[in-house]
Amino acid sequence: MNIILLGPPGAGKGTQSARLVEHHGMRQLSTGDMLRAAVAAQTSIGLRAKAVMDAGELVSDEIVSALIDAELLALPERAGAIFDGYPRTAHQAEQLDGILEKHNRQLHRVIELEVDEEALVRRISGRFSCAECGAGYHDEFILPQVPGTCDRCGAHEFKRRPDDNEHTVRKRLQLYRSETAPILPLYEQRGIVSRIDGMAPVDEVYRMIVKLIGTPSEHH
Ligand code: ADP
Ligand code: ADP
Ligand code: ZN
């Protein structure tokens, strides 16, 4: 099972991907995470991408598609892929078709998480994560059970993304509408698009996704 999780910044793609990885044995391929790792490691890609990301603009199609291609090469054949935050442009969608063919994988479903704009700004403004293991939290909606302590790994250090500010979020939302949403019709023609109410609580969104893709045993 290979799926695309599509949705504007803050829709819950990373949150739902983490659950699918943990409970469903899938692998998350997040171009945002890959780019942040490249920035942290100060690779040549990272050095080029940093300013673009901080401004809420899109990194080049060639760079992100090359990252996805490399990650797929390293993915065990039987592991299902979750494409999180990729593709984001019509050209990337075209490149993904070629990459999937090369790796002998099929795209089974495109799941769009729908969340209204003001909620997105609120979600992104309150987003933070564990500095140690990356577990995601929110100032109002998803706080650690013991204040200041990560539920998953027990660490006490947290971090926020430099691009998670209201100004940049508006820019990213605008790019989602102009560049990313227009790729949906392509997948609609193939009959593989499902829309899910991303305003629902995390558990409920997860249940709806699992209902769509089936439990892991159904894939064998
Ligand atoms: P994306 O990967 O789509 O940008 P995230 O998964 O990082 O989005 O979620 C954005 C923020 O909203 C995070 O702080 C996360 O904890 C929170 N969040 C995610 N899903 C929900 C939900 N269903 N209800 C409330 N808050 C959520
Ligand atoms: P979010 O889910 O909150 O929108 P991501 O972590 O997916 O954020 O992406 C963060 C930033 O990384 C984007 O604003 C963009 O600059 C860059 N980026 C990530 N994925 C892509 C992509 N597929 N194409 C172009 N740029 C990307
Ligand atoms: Zn942690």
Side-chain angles (χ1 to χ4, degrees):
M1 183 54 78
N2 301 296
I3 65 171
I4 294 175
L5 274 189
L6 209 67
K13 304 180 297 293
T15 302
Q16 297 301 330
S17 294
R19 297 211 164 194
L20 289 167
V21 167
E22 194 175 342
H23 303 296
H24 225 79
M26 298 180 79
R27 301 295 183 92
Q28 176 190 17
L29 283 76
S30 159
T31 41
D33 287 349
M34 294 173 207
L35 289 167
R36 278 184 290 278
V39 170
Q42 298 190 301
T43 65
S44 61
I45 285 178
L47 293 172
R48 269 194 287 165
K50 183 168 183 354
V52 178
M53 294 169 76
D54 285 347
E57 309 271 356
L58 291 175
V59 173
S60 84
D61 295 337
E62 274 58 42
I63 287 180
V64 293
S65 290
L67 288 171
I68 287 285
D69 188 21
E71 288 269 315
L72 269 182
L73 194 65
L75 205 67
E77 218 173 288
R78 299 178 63 90
I82 309 160
F83 297 97
D84 163 8
Y86 176 92
R88 258 178 160 92
T89 65
H91 188 216
Q92 288 176 26
E94 209 177 283
Q95 289 174 320
L96 178 60
D97 281 342
I99 291 169
L100 285 170
E101 200 180 313
K102 174 177 146 193
H103 294 279
N104 260 314
R105 283 179 184 264
Q106 232 193 309
L107 183 60
H108 299 94
R109 200 127 285 278
V110 176
I111 299 174
E112 190 195 15
L113 297 175
E114 296 180 301
V115 176
D116 68 58
E117 185 146 327
E118 287 320 304
L120 292 172
V121 174
R122 200 159 155 201
R123 279 192 189 179
I124 287 186
S125 308
R127 169 159 66 185
F128 67 97
S129 64
C130 173
E132 203 62 50
C133 76
Y137 296 97
H138 189 279
D139 289 327
E140 289 173 76
F141 309 132
I142 304 164
L143 280 161
Q145 275 161 0
V146 178
T149 305
C150 176
D151 294 345
R152 199 207 277 166
C153 78
H156 301 291
E157 296 247 357
F158 297 90
K159 59 184 182 190
R160 286 176 197 269
R161 283 168 46 178
D163 57 339
D164 278 351
N165 57 75
E166 177 156 359
H167 174 74
T168 308
V169 170
R170 300 270 176 208
K171 174 80 206 166
R172 283 150 62 198
L173 285 171
Q174 182 197 323
L175 282 170
Y176 182 79
R177 278 194 300 269
S178 64
E179 303 294 321
T180 309
I183 68 183
L184 273 161
L186 168 88
Y187 295 123
E188 254 153 17
Q189 281 169 12
R190 301 183 194 169
I192 56 172
V193 176
S194 304
R195 294 195 163 76
I196 283 185
D197 176 14
M199 296 291 287
V202 173
D203 288 347
E204 207 170 313
V205 175
Y206 181 66
R207 263 199 301 277
M208 292 189 274
I209 294 176
V210 169
K211 211 167 144 192
L212 274 176
I213 66 178
T215 53
S217 58
E218 289 170 44
H219 303 154
H220 297 296

